[in-house]
Amino acid sequence: MTAVADSPLPPPAPQIWRRRLTRGRGAIIAGLVFLLLLALVDWVGAGPLTYFDVSFLASGGATLALAAIGQTLVVLSGGFDLSAGAVISLVNVTLASRMDPMAVETSVALWTIAGIAVGCAVGAFNGFFIAVLRLQPIVVTLSTMFILQGVTLLVMDKPGGMIAPELGSFYLGDAIPGLLPMPAVLVGLVLLAWAWLKGTRFGTALYATGSDPDAAAAQGVDVALTRFLTYTIAGGCYGLAGVFISAQTGSGDPLVGNPLLLSLFAAVVVGGTRLGGGQGGPLGTVFGAYILMMVVNLLLVLNVSAYYSTIAEGTILMLAVLAGSLTRDSALATHLRALRGWAAARAGGTLPSRLPAVDRRLRRLHAPAPAPAAARTAEAPPFLARHGETLRYALPAYACLVLVVAVTELWLGRAAFSWNYWNALLVLSSFLAVLALGQGAVILTGGLDLSVPWTIGLSGILLTGMVNGSDAALIYALPIVLALAVLIGLANGIGIVWLGISPIVMTLATNGVLQGVALLYSQGTPAGFSSPMLRWLMTGRLLGMTPVVPLLALFVLFATLLLGRTPFGRRVYGIGNGLRAARLAGIPVERTLILVYVLSALSAALVGVMLTGFSGQASLGMGDDYLLPSIAVVVVGGTLITGGRGHYLGMLGGVLLLTALQMLLAGTTLPYATRAIIYGLVVLGAVLALREKRSQ
C-alpha cells in the first residue's frame, strides 16, 4: 500500500476562475465601460466607425496610456509619481532641439531609445531618494517635477524646434495598412512586456511590496531594490510617452506634459488599480486612458465647452476612487454605521449631552482636580528643555537667512542696512507666510493640499470680476470669495474624512475641478481690476512701510497662537503623531481634519486676494508658482513632512529664507528657470537633512 502525501489538493477550476475574476474585476469593468463608450461614439457620430476613426482614437489616447502604465507600476508599489508630466515635456523638448529634420536618414530606434533613457534616468533619480534614502515619494517627485520644469525651460523656453517626419510616419502610421494602427501595436507591445515582467520575481516582489512592505521584507523581498527598479521602469514609460507625443506634435513645447498629471491618476484609478498598492494592473489602466479620451471627445461632439474637460476628469477620478473603495470596511461605510448609532442613541436619550444634570456633576466630582498654579509653575521644565527640538529644526532656516542676506549685501549691495530691502522682503514674504499656515497645518496632520494653485487662481479671478476697480464692491465680493473657499475646504475635508479618499488624490481632483470652473467663469480671459484700496494695501506707503507689513506681523502672531496655544493646534499635532492614538486620546479627528482643510483653502483664497492687489488684476495660472513653495517653506522650516513635528515660527523662517533667496536670484543674470530648479533642490535637501533619524 502506497503512502499518500499530505500535500493539499489544488483548488477546483471554478474556484480558480472565481479568484482570477475577482482580482481582475477592475480591468473587466473598465473594459466593459470602454466598449460601451465606443458604441456611444459610434451612435452619436455622423456615420459608422471607420478604420480612420479607430486609428484616430488609438493615436489620441496612446500618450496617456503609455504614461499611465508607468504610473500604474508606481501605484502598485504603494507610491505616487508627480513628475510624469515633466518627464514627458523634457523628452519632447530634448528631441525637438537635438533632432535634425533635414537629415537624409533618421534612426527612429535611436531616438526612441534616447527618449526612454532620459525617462529612466529621471526615474532612477526618484528611485534613489525614495528607495535608498527612504524619503516620501510625494515630496521627492514633486521636487523632481519642478527641477525638470526648470531644466526643460533651459533647453527650450518657448514652443519651437522640429521633429523629424520619419518619427511621425513610423508611430502614427499603420502596422498593417488598413487593418492595424501602429499606436495600438505600441501600447500592445508594452502590455506584452508587462505580462512577461509580471511573471518574474520582480513582478511578484512589486505586488508584495505594494501590499505590505514589512511583510515582503520579512519574506526576503529586497524592497529597496524593487522600488528603485519600479521608478526606473516607470520613467522609461514616461520617456516612451514623450517620444510618441513628439511624433504627434512634430515640434517641441516645454509645457506639453503638464496637463497630463490629473489624467494619469484618473486613468490608473478608472482602470481598477487600488491607490495604496498591491492590486490592479496596466491592462485596466489602458482602458481607463481611452475611456477618459473618449469622454472628452464626446463632450466636444456634443458641443460642450472644452473647459469642462478638467471638471470631468476630476469628477471621474473622485467617483472612481469612491466606487473602488465601497466595501463594508470603507471609511464611508464606517461613518454611516457610526451615524446610525448616533441617531439611535439620540432617539433613546443616551447621548452624553442628554445625561441628567446629576450624572454630569458626578462625572466632574470624580475627575482629578487640577494641580495648583504654584505647583504647575514649580514643575515646569526650563525653556530650552521644552522647546529644544523645535529650535533644533527651526533655527537652521534663520541661520541660512542671515547667510543669504550677507551674500546679497556683498554681491548686490543695499541689503542688510536698507529698510527698502527689508520692506520688500516682508511684502513678498506675505503671500507664502499666509499659505504656510494652511499648508503647514495640513502637513502637520500628515496630509498635503494640491488644490492650492487653483484655489488661489479662482479666488483672484472671482474677486477682480466682481470688484472691477470698485472699493464699494469689495464689501460683498470679499465675503463671497472667502465663503467659496470654505466650501472648497469642506469638499476636500469631507472627501478625505468621510469618503476615505487619499488627500493627494482628493486635492488633485479638486484642483482640476477648480481649474475648469475658473476657465468657464472667465471664458479663458479673466476680466476686471483690483480695488484701489487693495492696491494701496499691497503697494502703497504708510509711515515709510507698505501697509501689509504691520498686518503681516498681526497674522504671524495669530498663526503662532492658533497652532501653538489653542486646543485646535494641539489636536492637529495629535493627529499628526498617529490617527489611532489621537482617537484613543479623545481627539475629534474627523472634525479637526475638515477644519484643517478649510483653513488651507481660506489661506489660499486670501493669497489670491492679496495677489490681485499686488498686481492689479488676476490671471490664469496665477497660483501655479505657489504649490511647491508652499510645501518648501514648511519643510525648510523644520516641519516633518509626515506630520506631528514643526512650529509656525520655523515655517516663517523658511518663508523669509526662500523669499530672500528668490530676491538674490532676481538680482543676478541667471535665467528664470533656475528658480524652479533651486526650489526643488532646496526641498530635497531640507527633507534629507531634517528627516527622522530612524528613517536613515
Side-chain angles (χ1 to χ4, degrees), residues 84 393 578:
Y393 291 111

Side-chain angles (χ1 to χ4, degrees), residues 11 16 67 72 75 82 186 189-190 192 200 217 228 245 250 271 279 325 367 374 376 409 453 541 572 590 609 640 696:
I16 295 176
T72 302
V75 172
L82 301 180
L186 181 63
L189 288 175
V190 176
L192 285 176
T200 65
F228 178 82
I245 203 171
Q279 180 178 320
S325 61
R376 291 198 301 268
E409 176 68 29
R541 283 282 175 171
V572 167
E590 289 77 10
V609 172
L640 187 64
Q696 294 180 359

